[in-house]
Amino acid sequence: MSGRRLLALVPVLLWLAWPRAGAAAPVVVNDVTRLNPVAVERVVVPKTVDEVRDLVRHHSGAISIGGARHSMGGQIATEGSLHLDMRGLHRIVAFSPEKRRITVEAGITWRKIQEAIDPHGLSVSIMQSYANFTVGGSLSVNVHGRYVGQGPLIAAVQSIEVVLADGQLVQASRSVNPELFFGSIGGYGGLGVIVEATLDLAENGKVAREVRKLPVAEYREHFLREVRDSPRAVFHNGDLYPPAYDTVMAVTWSETDRPVTVPDRLMPLGGHHWKDRVMQFGISELPFGKELRADVLDPLRLRDSPVVWRNYEASYDAAEIEPASRARSTYVLAEYFVPVARFDDFVPRMTSIFRRHRVNVLNVSIRHARQDPGSLLAWAREESFAFVVYYKQGVTQAARQEVGDWTRELIDAALAAGGSYYLPYQLHATDEQFHRAYPRAGEFFALKRRLDPDYRFRNKLWDRYFPPSVAQAAAPGERSPAARSEAQTFLTLPEWYIVYSADEYAAFLERQRPTDFPFFRSVGQFWHVHASVVRATWGRYPFNWGYHAMIGVIGASYSVEYVLRGVYENSVGLLTDWLAEGTPETEEDRFMAQVAAEYARFIHATPWHEFPFGEKLVPLWELQDGAGTSALRAWERRLAFTVELTVKSAWGWAMRKATHAAYDPEDLVIQARARALPKAGLPRDPRVRVLGQPDGDGLLLSLPRYEPFTETVRSLARQGVQFLDIAGNRTIVMTLIAPRRWRGVEEGASLVSEWDILTRPEEKRVAIEVPVERLHEMIPRLERARVKIDHVYDY
Ligand SMILES: Cc1cc2nc3c(=O)[nH]c(=O)nc-3n(C[C@H](O)[C@H](O)[C@H](O)COP(=O)(O)OP(=O)(O)OC[C@H]3O[C@@H](n4cnc5c(N)ncnc54)[C@H](O)[C@@H]3O)c2cc1C
């Protein structure tokens, strides 16, 4: 190529290489754990507030917001969104050392602020233990640190500026737009983009470290007596050591006049953190690594009393705990809050959960927080202790599920103590747990619906607890329940047919021998019900392939089982029955009837494959011959039942493996919106929890799912409670047991399917779909007409 041509290419090459304003390449956004990759449409790094406003105004789809990406559960992104990487907005807008106040753009990190204010003898008032986080990310989580006498970051905020979904720039403080102030701080980017914040600062004094090693039982007293109200104490945390969890290293940094022993004003950046990495690895992986740290390394590390600047102690670099790789395992945080008075209740429960699940805990750091002054998603609803758990986990699906199990148990333990859990970490909490921990979430969602009516500000946290379908389902200004798909109320019908069939079989064996049971007609009825469900949902809801495949597998298993049993009972069974005619019923027949009854009861509340079929083999083979019974019939029954139990036990084991691998545990509760009772006020039913009474006569309720759901809905309807929606849905299916000649499907309801109860010649089951807001009229009316409400199908 000639020199002139090369010269002509220079502008093109320069254009390609030039960092274009605002654009960045990566399409997958992930957080520090590497567990939550999310493919976004594009990532933009705005450099000015006006650029943020333009982007929000002109982008029509979902928008997600990220800071330093140290939240750990996908809180920074959702699929297909425009991701605003706020780190380009990192200027100090105004700084008044005299007033001890600073105004910054939201993408700035604490570290950058520290570098600017340290020469003026000032320090950040409240922040986390590490300085890498952005101000916007910290505000949106409403973080806390180790500061004594402080609490959530909101206490140190004068005002914020927020870009709303329509592109407006709005200021918010305790007095101006207070709803936006108390909603956005701790609002995980759900209401708008925080672009600026004005923060109070503190003096950068010298602090000296004091350490006390205490039995955990003495820690609370120590903290309340020596630390909580000490005017000199600045930082405090207690390290609770695994695996014994019986000793706390209480570390307090207090103001001092002594000269500094560490001259650096801020923690030096960069450098190699190999010692920290080796230590982390040793604690998490080596035998006795945890004991070595608790009994030898930490006492040595903390033996002297250094004096440092407050800014030095507040400027740790999270890189020091970053492992060399997160490919196979990763380090994650979780955090639970309990009221100060309940410290001693929570610790043993937490310890027992860690032990039972063999959680690889590296550290539990105990912190203290004053009550939150009013943010909608407050984690410290009263003065609390925080338990910050740092643990190591595998990255496989199984490892994540195991973490989910113990996390939910810990959340339950914190809730039982009147506490809460922290939202920037993995999203394992159920809907019920979320709403119990954050009882004002309904107000937050109502505000979001008002400020962001098209649901543009999204991320995985809000997708999980306030999915777009719910946001759109509920009426403006009202709380909305966690949504479930309406199609599900229909789709569970075939599964329940199998449960009813087990009931019928058990009831049948009480009076008759299995030979006469209508196995083949039952199979026919199952597929009839299934076809009715497909007809009722086809074209009305998106086709749920996964669920239909599951019903197909269950239906095929049921059919194969019943056909084989029908053939067997009508051949070999019939023969031994005929040969045994005139003799008493065998012990084996009786035992089979008992097991059938037990099984029928069991599968009303638990998946069939959890039934202990294998355990029935021993008692079967221990049966003694009954007097005068047919030996041939007894042996034939014993062998036939052995084969049945063995096959079901193996099939059940395979199903258990498959379903545990495929699904997260289901929520045991469901939410509903209802109208409060005009006279009685709140519903009187111990199974129902009132999650909130947002405005006027609206109630947000939590109801049990599965078996107790029917009775709960029935009892609420009898009390006159009018449902507005259940799990965001307006239609629900119920089955009735009615005389075969009954033709009373009410106006407003429509027939889904009906079928005769094969073993009860007078009765049939009728499946109808009903508008939820009419349940309170229809249920009492049907009951008055002596029609039994057999089952109401949740979602
Ligand atoms: C090693 C480590 C130590 C930690 N220590 C503490 C601690 O001591 N105390 C504590 O309270 N927490 C702690 N955390 C949690 C941490 O404070 C939060 O995850 C915090 O959000 C991190 O800030 P970030 O800039 O990384 O935010 P990101 O993770 O980037 O974002 C967090 C949330 O804020 C939203 N967001 C970010 N910027 C904006 C904006 N400008 N406007 C609107 N929404 C926005 C995001 O959408 C997201 O929902 C720790 C986390 C780690 C990994």
PDB file of all heavy atoms in Angstrom, residues 630-660:
ATOM      1  N   SER A 630     -56.741 -67.191  52.546  1.00  0.00           N
ATOM      2  CA  SER A 630     -56.176 -67.987  51.457  1.00  0.00           C
ATOM      3  C   SER A 630     -54.679 -67.709  51.344  1.00  0.00           C
ATOM      4  O   SER A 630     -54.276 -66.559  51.130  1.00  0.00           O
ATOM      5  CB  SER A 630     -56.885 -67.613  50.144  1.00  0.00           C
ATOM      6  OG  SER A 630     -56.051 -67.907  49.048  1.00  0.00           O
ATOM      7  N   ALA A 631     -53.852 -68.757  51.460  1.00  0.00           N
ATOM      8  CA  ALA A 631     -52.395 -68.587  51.369  1.00  0.00           C
ATOM      9  C   ALA A 631     -52.013 -68.123  49.970  1.00  0.00           C
ATOM     10  O   ALA A 631     -51.129 -67.270  49.798  1.00  0.00           O
ATOM     11  CB  ALA A 631     -51.699 -69.899  51.709  1.00  0.00           C
ATOM     12  N   LEU A 632     -52.713 -68.647  48.953  1.00  0.00           N
ATOM     13  CA  LEU A 632     -52.384 -68.275  47.582  1.00  0.00           C
ATOM     14  C   LEU A 632     -52.640 -66.778  47.362  1.00  0.00           C
ATOM     15  O   LEU A 632     -51.795 -66.044  46.845  1.00  0.00           O
ATOM     16  CB  LEU A 632     -53.243 -69.095  46.605  1.00  0.00           C
ATOM     17  CG  LEU A 632     -53.033 -68.726  45.135  1.00  0.00           C
ATOM     18  CD1 LEU A 632     -51.654 -69.159  44.676  1.00  0.00           C
ATOM     19  CD2 LEU A 632     -54.122 -69.334  44.262  1.00  0.00           C
ATOM     20  N   ARG A 633     -53.812 -66.326  47.819  1.00  0.00           N
ATOM     21  CA  ARG A 633     -54.160 -64.910  47.669  1.00  0.00           C
ATOM     22  C   ARG A 633     -53.143 -64.029  48.432  1.00  0.00           C
ATOM     23  O   ARG A 633     -52.677 -63.017  47.930  1.00  0.00           O
ATOM     24  CB  ARG A 633     -55.580 -64.679  48.212  1.00  0.00           C
ATOM     25  CG  ARG A 633     -56.002 -63.217  48.336  1.00  0.00           C
ATOM     26  CD  ARG A 633     -56.412 -62.627  47.016  1.00  0.00           C
ATOM     27  NE  ARG A 633     -56.818 -61.228  47.153  1.00  0.00           N
ATOM     28  CZ  ARG A 633     -57.067 -60.400  46.166  1.00  0.00           C
ATOM     29  NH1 ARG A 633     -56.953 -60.823  44.912  1.00  0.00           N
ATOM     30  NH2 ARG A 633     -57.421 -59.175  46.370  1.00  0.00           N
ATOM     31  N   ALA A 634     -52.789 -64.491  49.657  1.00  0.00           N
ATOM     32  CA  ALA A 634     -51.850 -63.705  50.471  1.00  0.00           C
ATOM     33  C   ALA A 634     -50.511 -63.554  49.739  1.00  0.00           C
ATOM     34  O   ALA A 634     -49.950 -62.464  49.654  1.00  0.00           O
ATOM     35  CB  ALA A 634     -51.652 -64.371  51.821  1.00  0.00           C
ATOM     36  N   TRP A 635     -49.998 -64.665  49.189  1.00  0.00           N
ATOM     37  CA  TRP A 635     -48.700 -64.602  48.498  1.00  0.00           C
ATOM     38  C   TRP A 635     -48.782 -63.777  47.219  1.00  0.00           C
ATOM     39  O   TRP A 635     -47.892 -62.987  46.910  1.00  0.00           O
ATOM     40  CB  TRP A 635     -48.191 -66.014  48.179  1.00  0.00           C
ATOM     41  CG  TRP A 635     -47.397 -66.504  49.345  1.00  0.00           C
ATOM     42  CD1 TRP A 635     -47.811 -67.359  50.314  1.00  0.00           C
ATOM     43  CD2 TRP A 635     -46.068 -66.084  49.675  1.00  0.00           C
ATOM     44  NE1 TRP A 635     -46.822 -67.519  51.256  1.00  0.00           N
ATOM     45  CE2 TRP A 635     -45.736 -66.739  50.878  1.00  0.00           C
ATOM     46  CE3 TRP A 635     -45.148 -65.220  49.097  1.00  0.00           C
ATOM     47  CZ2 TRP A 635     -44.509 -66.574  51.498  1.00  0.00           C
ATOM     48  CZ3 TRP A 635     -43.908 -65.060  49.706  1.00  0.00           C
ATOM     49  CH2 TRP A 635     -43.601 -65.721  50.912  1.00  0.00           C
ATOM     50  N   GLU A 636     -49.866 -63.959  46.519  1.00  0.00           N
ATOM     51  CA  GLU A 636     -50.007 -63.188  45.270  1.00  0.00           C
ATOM     52  C   GLU A 636     -50.055 -61.689  45.583  1.00  0.00           C
ATOM     53  O   GLU A 636     -49.385 -60.880  44.952  1.00  0.00           O
ATOM     54  CB  GLU A 636     -51.299 -63.650  44.571  1.00  0.00           C
ATOM     55  CG  GLU A 636     -51.636 -62.903  43.293  1.00  0.00           C
ATOM     56  CD  GLU A 636     -52.438 -61.629  43.535  1.00  0.00           C
ATOM     57  OE1 GLU A 636     -53.342 -61.654  44.384  1.00  0.00           O
ATOM     58  OE2 GLU A 636     -52.134 -60.614  42.907  1.00  0.00           O
ATOM     59  N   ARG A 637     -50.820 -61.309  46.639  1.00  0.00           N
ATOM     60  CA  ARG A 637     -50.913 -59.890  47.012  1.00  0.00           C
ATOM     61  C   ARG A 637     -49.540 -59.369  47.448  1.00  0.00           C
ATOM     62  O   ARG A 637     -49.126 -58.279  47.105  1.00  0.00           O
ATOM     63  CB  ARG A 637     -51.897 -59.716  48.196  1.00  0.00           C
ATOM     64  CG  ARG A 637     -53.351 -59.913  47.876  1.00  0.00           C
ATOM     65  CD  ARG A 637     -53.925 -58.776  47.085  1.00  0.00           C
ATOM     66  NE  ARG A 637     -53.887 -59.034  45.659  1.00  0.00           N
ATOM     67  CZ  ARG A 637     -54.321 -58.189  44.727  1.00  0.00           C
ATOM     68  NH1 ARG A 637     -54.808 -57.036  45.054  1.00  0.00           N
ATOM     69  NH2 ARG A 637     -54.237 -58.482  43.451  1.00  0.00           N
ATOM     70  N   ARG A 638     -48.873 -60.183  48.259  1.00  0.00           N
ATOM     71  CA  ARG A 638     -47.579 -59.746  48.788  1.00  0.00           C
ATOM     72  C   ARG A 638     -46.594 -59.462  47.641  1.00  0.00           C
ATOM     73  O   ARG A 638     -45.930 -58.431  47.616  1.00  0.00           O
ATOM     74  CB  ARG A 638     -47.029 -60.843  49.699  1.00  0.00           C
ATOM     75  CG  ARG A 638     -45.846 -60.407  50.504  1.00  0.00           C
ATOM     76  CD  ARG A 638     -45.480 -61.416  51.541  1.00  0.00           C
ATOM     77  NE  ARG A 638     -46.417 -61.442  52.670  1.00  0.00           N
ATOM     78  CZ  ARG A 638     -46.084 -61.775  53.905  1.00  0.00           C
ATOM     79  NH1 ARG A 638     -44.848 -62.117  54.184  1.00  0.00           N
ATOM     80  NH2 ARG A 638     -46.984 -61.782  54.874  1.00  0.00           N
ATOM     81  N   LEU A 639     -46.580 -60.383  46.675  1.00  0.00           N
ATOM     82  CA  LEU A 639     -45.635 -60.189  45.567  1.00  0.00           C
ATOM     83  C   LEU A 639     -46.045 -58.999  44.706  1.00  0.00           C
ATOM     84  O   LEU A 639     -45.211 -58.175  44.325  1.00  0.00           O
ATOM     85  CB  LEU A 639     -45.560 -61.461  44.704  1.00  0.00           C
ATOM     86  CG  LEU A 639     -44.864 -62.632  45.400  1.00  0.00           C
ATOM     87  CD1 LEU A 639     -44.934 -63.893  44.532  1.00  0.00           C
ATOM     88  CD2 LEU A 639     -43.410 -62.279  45.707  1.00  0.00           C
ATOM     89  N   ALA A 640     -47.342 -58.918  44.418  1.00  0.00           N
ATOM     90  CA  ALA A 640     -47.802 -57.817  43.567  1.00  0.00           C
ATOM     91  C   ALA A 640     -47.509 -56.460  44.231  1.00  0.00           C
ATOM     92  O   ALA A 640     -47.029 -55.520  43.598  1.00  0.00           O
ATOM     93  CB  ALA A 640     -49.306 -57.950  43.310  1.00  0.00           C
ATOM     94  N   PHE A 641     -47.767 -56.388  45.537  1.00  0.00           N
ATOM     95  CA  PHE A 641     -47.569 -55.131  46.239  1.00  0.00           C
ATOM     96  C   PHE A 641     -46.072 -54.796  46.358  1.00  0.00           C
ATOM     97  O   PHE A 641     -45.662 -53.633  46.305  1.00  0.00           O
ATOM     98  CB  PHE A 641     -48.222 -55.228  47.625  1.00  0.00           C
ATOM     99  CG  PHE A 641     -48.590 -53.886  48.201  1.00  0.00           C
ATOM    100  CD1 PHE A 641     -48.873 -52.790  47.391  1.00  0.00           C
ATOM    101  CD2 PHE A 641     -48.680 -53.709  49.576  1.00  0.00           C
ATOM    102  CE1 PHE A 641     -49.214 -51.561  47.925  1.00  0.00           C
ATOM    103  CE2 PHE A 641     -49.018 -52.479  50.119  1.00  0.00           C
ATOM    104  CZ  PHE A 641     -49.291 -51.397  49.290  1.00  0.00           C
ATOM    105  N   THR A 642     -45.252 -55.851  46.499  1.00  0.00           N
ATOM    106  CA  THR A 642     -43.803 -55.631  46.553  1.00  0.00           C
ATOM    107  C   THR A 642     -43.321 -54.996  45.249  1.00  0.00           C
ATOM    108  O   THR A 642     -42.559 -54.020  45.245  1.00  0.00           O
ATOM    109  CB  THR A 642     -43.062 -56.969  46.779  1.00  0.00           C
ATOM    110  OG1 THR A 642     -43.529 -57.516  48.000  1.00  0.00           O
ATOM    111  CG2 THR A 642     -41.555 -56.773  46.843  1.00  0.00           C
ATOM    112  N   VAL A 643     -43.803 -55.553  44.138  1.00  0.00           N
ATOM    113  CA  VAL A 643     -43.387 -54.997  42.840  1.00  0.00           C
ATOM    114  C   VAL A 643     -43.857 -53.536  42.743  1.00  0.00           C
ATOM    115  O   VAL A 643     -43.093 -52.642  42.365  1.00  0.00           O
ATOM    116  CB  VAL A 643     -43.967 -55.845  41.677  1.00  0.00           C
ATOM    117  CG1 VAL A 643     -43.723 -55.156  40.336  1.00  0.00           C
ATOM    118  CG2 VAL A 643     -43.372 -57.238  41.686  1.00  0.00           C
ATOM    119  N   GLU A 644     -45.111 -53.298  43.118  1.00  0.00           N
ATOM    120  CA  GLU A 644     -45.648 -51.934  43.008  1.00  0.00           C
ATOM    121  C   GLU A 644     -44.835 -50.947  43.855  1.00  0.00           C
ATOM    122  O   GLU A 644     -44.437 -49.877  43.385  1.00  0.00           O
ATOM    123  CB  GLU A 644     -47.110 -51.937  43.468  1.00  0.00           C
ATOM    124  CG  GLU A 644     -47.759 -50.570  43.326  1.00  0.00           C
ATOM    125  CD  GLU A 644     -49.180 -50.529  43.900  1.00  0.00           C
ATOM    126  OE1 GLU A 644     -49.849 -51.583  43.947  1.00  0.00           O
ATOM    127  OE2 GLU A 644     -49.594 -49.434  44.294  1.00  0.00           O
ATOM    128  N   LEU A 645     -44.567 -51.328  45.119  1.00  0.00           N
ATOM    129  CA  LEU A 645     -43.841 -50.415  46.000  1.00  0.00           C
ATOM    130  C   LEU A 645     -42.422 -50.170  45.499  1.00  0.00           C
ATOM    131  O   LEU A 645     -41.900 -49.046  45.552  1.00  0.00           O
ATOM    132  CB  LEU A 645     -43.796 -50.980  47.422  1.00  0.00           C
ATOM    133  CG  LEU A 645     -45.123 -50.972  48.183  1.00  0.00           C
ATOM    134  CD1 LEU A 645     -44.991 -51.746  49.497  1.00  0.00           C
ATOM    135  CD2 LEU A 645     -45.572 -49.538  48.476  1.00  0.00           C
ATOM    136  N   THR A 646     -41.783 -51.229  44.990  1.00  0.00           N
ATOM    137  CA  THR A 646     -40.396 -51.085  44.527  1.00  0.00           C
ATOM    138  C   THR A 646     -40.337 -50.164  43.314  1.00  0.00           C
ATOM    139  O   THR A 646     -39.501 -49.258  43.243  1.00  0.00           O
ATOM    140  CB  THR A 646     -39.804 -52.471  44.158  1.00  0.00           C
ATOM    141  OG1 THR A 646     -40.063 -53.349  45.239  1.00  0.00           O
ATOM    142  CG2 THR A 646     -38.316 -52.395  43.903  1.00  0.00           C
ATOM    143  N   VAL A 647     -41.243 -50.403  42.366  1.00  0.00           N
ATOM    144  CA  VAL A 647     -41.218 -49.564  41.157  1.00  0.00           C
ATOM    145  C   VAL A 647     -41.510 -48.104  41.526  1.00  0.00           C
ATOM    146  O   VAL A 647     -40.821 -47.177  41.085  1.00  0.00           O
ATOM    147  CB  VAL A 647     -42.257 -50.077  40.122  1.00  0.00           C
ATOM    148  CG1 VAL A 647     -42.396 -49.094  38.975  1.00  0.00           C
ATOM    149  CG2 VAL A 647     -41.855 -51.447  39.608  1.00  0.00           C
ATOM    150  N   LYS A 648     -42.511 -47.886  42.397  1.00  0.00           N
ATOM    151  CA  LYS A 648     -42.859 -46.495  42.744  1.00  0.00           C
ATOM    152  C   LYS A 648     -41.731 -45.830  43.537  1.00  0.00           C
ATOM    153  O   LYS A 648     -41.488 -44.628  43.398  1.00  0.00           O
ATOM    154  CB  LYS A 648     -44.145 -46.475  43.567  1.00  0.00           C
ATOM    155  CG  LYS A 648     -45.376 -46.680  42.705  1.00  0.00           C
ATOM    156  CD  LYS A 648     -46.602 -46.503  43.542  1.00  0.00           C
ATOM    157  CE  LYS A 648     -47.853 -46.506  42.702  1.00  0.00           C
ATOM    158  NZ  LYS A 648     -49.050 -46.637  43.521  1.00  0.00           N
ATOM    159  N   SER A 649     -41.077 -46.618  44.376  1.00  0.00           N
ATOM    160  CA  SER A 649     -39.988 -46.059  45.152  1.00  0.00           C
ATOM    161  C   SER A 649     -38.869 -45.580  44.209  1.00  0.00           C
ATOM    162  O   SER A 649     -38.344 -44.464  44.355  1.00  0.00           O
ATOM    163  CB  SER A 649     -39.485 -47.131  46.109  1.00  0.00           C
ATOM    164  OG  SER A 649     -38.409 -46.667  46.814  1.00  0.00           O
ATOM    165  N   ALA A 650     -38.532 -46.405  43.207  1.00  0.00           N
ATOM    166  CA  ALA A 650     -37.464 -46.031  42.272  1.00  0.00           C
ATOM    167  C   ALA A 650     -37.893 -44.836  41.409  1.00  0.00           C
ATOM    168  O   ALA A 650     -37.146 -43.876  41.210  1.00  0.00           O
ATOM    169  CB  ALA A 650     -37.117 -47.224  41.387  1.00  0.00           C
ATOM    170  N   TRP A 651     -39.118 -44.870  40.928  1.00  0.00           N
ATOM    171  CA  TRP A 651     -39.636 -43.797  40.070  1.00  0.00           C
ATOM    172  C   TRP A 651     -39.722 -42.490  40.870  1.00  0.00           C
ATOM    173  O   TRP A 651     -39.368 -41.429  40.391  1.00  0.00           O
ATOM    174  CB  TRP A 651     -40.985 -44.250  39.512  1.00  0.00           C
ATOM    175  CG  TRP A 651     -41.652 -43.368  38.500  1.00  0.00           C
ATOM    176  CD1 TRP A 651     -42.969 -43.038  38.489  1.00  0.00           C
ATOM    177  CD2 TRP A 651     -41.082 -42.735  37.345  1.00  0.00           C
ATOM    178  NE1 TRP A 651     -43.247 -42.241  37.416  1.00  0.00           N
ATOM    179  CE2 TRP A 651     -42.100 -42.029  36.692  1.00  0.00           C
ATOM    180  CE3 TRP A 651     -39.799 -42.686  36.806  1.00  0.00           C
ATOM    181  CZ2 TRP A 651     -41.899 -41.291  35.540  1.00  0.00           C
ATOM    182  CZ3 TRP A 651     -39.592 -41.942  35.648  1.00  0.00           C
ATOM    183  CH2 TRP A 651     -40.631 -41.266  35.032  1.00  0.00           C
ATOM    184  N   GLY A 652     -40.170 -42.624  42.126  1.00  0.00           N
ATOM    185  CA  GLY A 652     -40.262 -41.450  43.000  1.00  0.00           C
ATOM    186  C   GLY A 652     -38.884 -40.852  43.248  1.00  0.00           C
ATOM    187  O   GLY A 652     -38.713 -39.632  43.238  1.00  0.00           O
ATOM    188  N   TRP A 653     -37.889 -41.706  43.436  1.00  0.00           N
ATOM    189  CA  TRP A 653     -36.515 -41.227  43.657  1.00  0.00           C
ATOM    190  C   TRP A 653     -36.048 -40.424  42.437  1.00  0.00           C
ATOM    191  O   TRP A 653     -35.499 -39.330  42.560  1.00  0.00           O
ATOM    192  CB  TRP A 653     -35.608 -42.434  43.905  1.00  0.00           C
ATOM    193  CG  TRP A 653     -34.164 -42.062  44.065  1.00  0.00           C
ATOM    194  CD1 TRP A 653     -33.528 -41.659  45.188  1.00  0.00           C
ATOM    195  CD2 TRP A 653     -33.169 -42.049  43.022  1.00  0.00           C
ATOM    196  NE1 TRP A 653     -32.212 -41.385  44.930  1.00  0.00           N
ATOM    197  CE2 TRP A 653     -31.956 -41.621  43.606  1.00  0.00           C
ATOM    198  CE3 TRP A 653     -33.169 -42.354  41.666  1.00  0.00           C
ATOM    199  CZ2 TRP A 653     -30.782 -41.495  42.886  1.00  0.00           C
ATOM    200  CZ3 TRP A 653     -31.985 -42.230  40.936  1.00  0.00           C
ATOM    201  CH2 TRP A 653     -30.815 -41.804  41.543  1.00  0.00           C
ATOM    202  N   ALA A 654     -36.310 -40.988  41.246  1.00  0.00           N
ATOM    203  CA  ALA A 654     -35.893 -40.293  40.011  1.00  0.00           C
ATOM    204  C   ALA A 654     -36.614 -38.946  39.894  1.00  0.00           C
ATOM    205  O   ALA A 654     -36.010 -37.927  39.539  1.00  0.00           O
ATOM    206  CB  ALA A 654     -36.183 -41.172  38.803  1.00  0.00           C
ATOM    207  N   MET A 655     -37.899 -38.918  40.230  1.00  0.00           N
ATOM    208  CA  MET A 655     -38.657 -37.664  40.125  1.00  0.00           C
ATOM    209  C   MET A 655     -38.140 -36.634  41.138  1.00  0.00           C
ATOM    210  O   MET A 655     -38.055 -35.448  40.851  1.00  0.00           O
ATOM    211  CB  MET A 655     -40.148 -37.907  40.398  1.00  0.00           C
ATOM    212  CG  MET A 655     -40.844 -38.700  39.341  1.00  0.00           C
ATOM    213  SD  MET A 655     -40.912 -37.800  37.780  1.00  0.00           S
ATOM    214  CE  MET A 655     -42.371 -36.832  38.023  1.00  0.00           C
ATOM    215  N   ARG A 656     -37.810 -37.141  42.339  1.00  0.00           N
ATOM    216  CA  ARG A 656     -37.280 -36.222  43.356  1.00  0.00           C
ATOM    217  C   ARG A 656     -36.020 -35.553  42.852  1.00  0.00           C
ATOM    218  O   ARG A 656     -35.835 -34.359  42.945  1.00  0.00           O
ATOM    219  CB  ARG A 656     -36.959 -36.980  44.646  1.00  0.00           C
ATOM    220  CG  ARG A 656     -38.119 -37.051  45.603  1.00  0.00           C
ATOM    221  CD  ARG A 656     -37.654 -37.365  47.013  1.00  0.00           C
ATOM    222  NE  ARG A 656     -36.864 -38.556  47.140  1.00  0.00           N
ATOM    223  CZ  ARG A 656     -37.333 -39.806  47.186  1.00  0.00           C
ATOM    224  NH1 ARG A 656     -38.626 -40.017  47.101  1.00  0.00           N
ATOM    225  NH2 ARG A 656     -36.527 -40.828  47.323  1.00  0.00           N
ATOM    226  N   LYS A 657     -35.135 -36.365  42.299  1.00  0.00           N
ATOM    227  CA  LYS A 657     -33.864 -35.833  41.770  1.00  0.00           C
ATOM    228  C   LYS A 657     -34.173 -34.792  40.704  1.00  0.00           C
ATOM    229  O   LYS A 657     -33.613 -33.699  40.699  1.00  0.00           O
ATOM    230  CB  LYS A 657     -33.039 -36.961  41.119  1.00  0.00           C
ATOM    231  CG  LYS A 657     -32.352 -37.837  42.103  1.00  0.00           C
ATOM    232  CD  LYS A 657     -30.941 -37.315  42.345  1.00  0.00           C
ATOM    233  CE  LYS A 657     -30.349 -37.894  43.614  1.00  0.00           C
ATOM    234  NZ  LYS A 657     -29.781 -37.040  44.529  1.00  0.00           N
ATOM    235  N   ALA A 658     -35.053 -35.155  39.779  1.00  0.00           N
ATOM    236  CA  ALA A 658     -35.317 -34.265  38.644  1.00  0.00           C
ATOM    237  C   ALA A 658     -35.957 -32.963  39.117  1.00  0.00           C
ATOM    238  O   ALA A 658     -35.545 -31.882  38.720  1.00  0.00           O
ATOM    239  CB  ALA A 658     -36.221 -34.964  37.642  1.00  0.00           C
ATOM    240  N   THR A 659     -36.950 -33.046  39.997  1.00  0.00           N
ATOM    241  CA  THR A 659     -37.658 -31.817  40.371  1.00  0.00           C
ATOM    242  C   THR A 659     -36.802 -30.959  41.290  1.00  0.00           C
ATOM    243  O   THR A 659     -36.810 -29.746  41.176  1.00  0.00           O
ATOM    244  CB  THR A 659     -39.004 -32.103  41.052  1.00  0.00           C
ATOM    245  OG1 THR A 659     -38.767 -33.047  42.078  1.00  0.00           O
ATOM    246  CG2 THR A 659     -40.021 -32.626  40.091  1.00  0.00           C
ATOM    247  N   HIS A 660     -36.018 -31.564  42.192  1.00  0.00           N
ATOM    248  CA  HIS A 660     -35.165 -30.740  43.056  1.00  0.00           C
ATOM    249  C   HIS A 660     -34.131 -30.010  42.235  1.00  0.00           C
ATOM    250  O   HIS A 660     -33.741 -28.906  42.530  1.00  0.00           O
ATOM    251  CB  HIS A 660     -34.476 -31.587  44.122  1.00  0.00           C
ATOM    252  CG  HIS A 660     -35.423 -31.963  45.218  1.00  0.00           C
ATOM    253  ND1 HIS A 660     -35.044 -32.649  46.323  1.00  0.00           N
ATOM    254  CD2 HIS A 660     -36.739 -31.747  45.333  1.00  0.00           C
ATOM    255  CE1 HIS A 660     -36.103 -32.847  47.101  1.00  0.00           C
ATOM    256  NE2 HIS A 660     -37.131 -32.299  46.515  1.00  0.00           N
TER     257      HIS A 660
END
